[in-house]
Amino acid sequence: MKNIRKNKNSENEIAVTGKSGIFWLKGLAGLLAVMLVFTIASRVVASITVPQVTASAPSPGKIEHTVMASGTVEAGGEKAIVTEEGILVAQVNVHTGESIGEGETLFALDMDSLEDQIYELQNQIKKLQLENDSLKKNKAQADAKQQLELKRAQEDYEETIAKNTVSDGKANEALQKAADAKSQAEKELNSAKDALAQAEKELNTVKEELQNVKDAAAAEQSKNTADQTGEAEKKDTNSTITQKRQQLEEAVQEKQNTYDTIQAKVTEKQAALDSASVALEEKQEQLESNTSTAEDAKKAAERAVEDAGLSADIDHTQEINAISLEQFQKQLEKLKTLKQQNGEITAPSSGIITKVCVETGQKTTDTAAVVMSDEQSGLFLLRQRTAKTGNISQREIMQRLPVSVRERLIAALFPWKHRKTEAA
């Protein structure tokens, strides 16, 4: 019986325990359900109230800040629209302060005026081309003439050298002949002088013998006068002396004649020598004169060759014309491009017209026709301050800030630039 009761009690405990577990399970399930409801509700509320954030890779761009202030807005940079000068403006399509889009027509040129410019420029190009052609032909003719003059000067020089050589040869030959004639005259004169000396010596000897005979005859005469004896012998002696005297006188006369003849020959040879000396001097002077003339002719011929070899005056007209032609060709291409565009000048980019410098009916100049803002450079606000402080721009404000504050402000406004600076 006891065992039966124990089993019943055990069964009752198990039943109670099972009911308690089910209760807690239901409680936990309810708690989870409530938590799920609150989680869904909180997410719904969060999706409505919390801002959505989209992450993307950093890239260069502009950060726009809206600032409420009064002042004047000015362009950070401007573009000058320039066209070819001297063309009549047919129509102006923009005004100062007007916003313009890229490719829109700013102003239009008069097509007749543009055609006139093209026609005039083509004539200038043709004129320069013709001038250059003439310069080339003239230069070719001048070069040919210079070569001909050089050739002729060279021939004249060679001919002068040849003539000088022949002239020098003849002059030297004549000088040599004159020198030989003088030498021969000197020899003949010396020979004549030797003969004259010999004749003089022989004449003096005969004269001395004649004098001796005369002295002997005088002595014999004195002796005969003192001595009266031997008449026959005296006569023989006197006859012998007289005969000897006559012979010596004849010999003296003959020697005198010979001496005179040789003396005349000496005089003749002296004259011949003097003449030969004069002729030699003349030939020498003639040779020197010929040499000087030949040298002058040679120098003149050499200078003629040098002058003929010199280039003509330097002329850069062709090079200058070539530069002008290149400029005109570029200008003509621009005018033709304008003609293809029907004379319309368009905006290279979008922006705001800040200045219009052309007027309808007026011709274009070499300065800006239209000035427009450059959007890439941005805009600047000049805040209106008191008359005492004047205007101050955002750039000036940034420059007046301390360096540390300016760097932090730049980092906040342009984070990608700050990150690049840190990376560097």
Side-chain angles (χ1 to χ4, degrees), residues 236-420:
D236 292 337
T237 300
N238 289 334
S239 176
T240 302
I241 291 173
T242 300
Q243 185 178 2
K244 183 65 174 178
R245 182 177 178 179
Q246 288 177 352
Q247 291 177 352
L248 288 174
E249 287 178 350
E250 291 175 358
V252 167
Q253 186 62 41
E254 183 181 354
K255 296 298 181 181
Q256 185 65 48
N257 292 336
T258 303
Y259 178 81
D260 292 340
T261 301
I262 295 174
Q263 181 66 42
K265 188 175 182 180
V266 168
T267 303
E268 180 184 351
K269 295 302 180 182
Q270 184 65 50
L273 177 60
D274 293 341
S275 177
S277 298
V278 172
L280 180 61
E281 290 177 358
E282 290 177 353
K283 297 299 181 184
Q284 184 68 38
E285 291 177 356
Q286 183 179 358
L287 177 61
E288 292 176 356
S289 177
N290 290 345
T291 302
S292 178
T293 303
E295 287 295 328
D296 292 341
K298 180 181 177 182
K299 287 182 180 178
E302 287 176 348
R303 289 174 181 173
V305 173
E306 291 175 357
D307 293 341
L310 291 176
S311 300
D313 295 338
I314 298 176
D315 186 2
H316 295 292
T317 306
Q318 283 185 267
E319 290 80 358
I320 296 173
N321 288 348
I323 295 173
S324 299
L325 277 172
E326 184 178 359
Q327 294 175 347
F328 288 163
Q329 291 287 359
K330 290 181 180 179
Q331 189 176 356
L332 182 60
E333 290 299 324
K334 292 179 181 179
L335 292 177
K336 288 182 177 180
T337 301
L338 287 175
K339 182 179 178 181
Q340 292 175 356
Q341 297 173 354
N342 294 323
E344 295 181 352
I345 308 300
T346 58
S349 62
S350 59
I352 299 174
I353 303 300
T354 58
K355 190 175 183 181
V356 178
C357 304
V358 293
E359 296 179 7
T360 302
Q362 299 295 325
K363 289 187 177 181
T364 57
T365 63
D366 58 349
T367 57
V370 175
V371 181
M372 59 182 295
S373 63
D374 184 4
E375 288 190 346
Q376 295 181 354
S377 300
L379 301 174
F380 289 96
L381 173 66
L382 293 179
R383 295 179 60 190
Q384 189 69 32
R385 303 292 294 275
T386 63
K388 182 177 180 180
T389 58
N391 295 335
I392 181 170
S393 64
Q394 291 180 1
R395 181 178 296 175
E396 291 174 335
I397 293 173
M398 291 293 291
Q399 291 177 348
R400 293 182 183 183
L401 291 175
V403 177
S404 59
V405 176
R406 185 165 64 242
E407 290 180 352
R408 281 183 289 175
L409 183 58
I410 292 173
L413 296 176
F414 309 102
W416 64 89
K417 291 186 177 180
H418 184 64
R419 284 195 294 271
K420 287 183 178 179

Side-chain angles (χ1 to χ4, degrees), residues 33-98:
V34 171
M35 290 177 65
L36 179 61
V37 170
F38 279 110
T39 300
I40 294 172
S42 65
R43 294 206 173 189
V44 171
V45 173
S47 64
I48 296 173
T49 59
V50 178
Q52 298 294 322
V53 177
T54 303
S56 61
S59 61
K62 294 182 180 179
I63 296 180
E64 297 182 357
H65 300 275
T66 303
V67 179
M68 302 297 294
S70 61
T72 303
V73 177
E74 291 188 358
E78 292 180 327
K79 290 181 179 179
I81 310 301
V82 182
T83 187
E84 300 301 312
E85 63 175 320
I87 305 175
L88 195 66
V89 178
Q91 183 179 357
V92 179
N93 299 336
V94 294
H95 303 281
T96 302
E98 181 180 352

Side-chain angles (χ1 to χ4, degrees), residues 134-169:
S134 299
L135 288 172
K136 289 179 181 178
K137 292 179 181 179
N138 292 338
K139 187 176 185 304
Q141 292 178 356
D143 291 342
K145 183 179 178 181
Q146 182 185 4
Q147 292 297 326
L148 180 61
E149 290 178 353
L150 178 61
K151 181 181 178 182
R152 289 177 178 175
Q154 188 68 36
E155 291 175 352
D156 293 341
Y157 173 75
E158 294 174 356
E159 184 178 354
T160 300
I161 295 299
K163 287 181 178 179
N164 289 346
T165 302
V166 174
S167 179
D168 289 344

